Amino acid sequence: MSFFDKLKSGVAEAGNKAKIAVEVNRLKMQNSSKQKEIDQEYQHIGKMVFDSLERESMCSPEQLQPMVDRIVQLQDEIQLNLHQINAIADEKKCTCGHTVPVAARFCPECGHQFIEIEKQEGDV
């Protein structure tokens, strides 16, 4: 392999890594925005409960349910983004919460052994 072929290969690899970094950062920014929205919903719920206690008339669960539903939806979206980040970065989460490479057989943090699911010959 010539010097220029190696250089070309290195530049292409750096470009791919940059694309991955951009996509990961985009997803992280989305998660940050979603978390801020969750915090705002929590504050809104807290204000409603406080106001109802101050007036001595409890707010109904029906009044709170749309906010609770929105929080759950945002949390699900954050989890989907985290799974996408792990897939893009070729990583997986251990049971201890540590992130490890997809090919890892053991977690370096806690020693958890990952069970490999072998493909059967008929599977595609």
Side-chain angles (χ1 to χ4, degrees):
M1 186 177 245
S2 74
F3 169 76
F4 290 110
D5 289 338
K6 288 181 184 179
L7 179 63
K8 184 178 175 182
S9 173
V11 169
E13 185 177 336
N16 287 337
K17 287 184 180 182
K19 286 179 187 177
I20 289 170
V22 166
E23 182 64 13
V24 166
N25 285 334
R26 184 185 68 78
L27 291 168
K28 286 181 178 180
M29 295 264 304
Q30 280 183 3
N31 281 357
S32 177
S33 175
K34 290 175 190 301
Q35 187 59 53
K36 286 178 186 173
E37 191 175 340
I38 287 171
D39 293 343
Q40 288 172 347
E41 292 292 340
Y42 283 145
Q43 287 178 348
H44 193 213
I45 289 170
K47 177 136 178 53
M48 285 181 68
V49 170
F50 176 83
D51 289 345
S52 70
L53 290 173
E54 193 173 49
R55 290 187 316 265
E56 295 181 2
S57 64
M58 260 323 252
C59 56
S60 70
E62 292 82 25
Q63 291 174 303
L64 300 176
Q65 195 60 49
M67 291 172 274
V68 171
D69 292 342
R70 181 67 179 145
I71 290 170
V72 170
Q73 176 190 2
L74 290 166
Q75 289 172 334
D76 289 345
E77 291 172 7
I78 287 172
Q79 287 304 311
L80 285 173
N81 283 351
L82 290 173
H83 288 299
Q84 278 186 296
I85 289 169
N86 287 340
I88 291 168
D90 286 333
E91 297 175 335
K92 60 185 172 185
K93 283 276 189 189
C94 179
T95 55
C96 71
H98 190 74
T99 303
V100 298
V102 169
R105 296 185 65 196
F106 295 92
C107 174
E109 191 71 20
C110 70
H112 173 77
Q113 181 179 2
F114 296 103
I115 300 171
E116 291 184 37
I117 301 173
E118 295 182 26
K119 292 184 180 178
Q120 296 178 0
E121 287 185 26
D123 292 348
V124 176

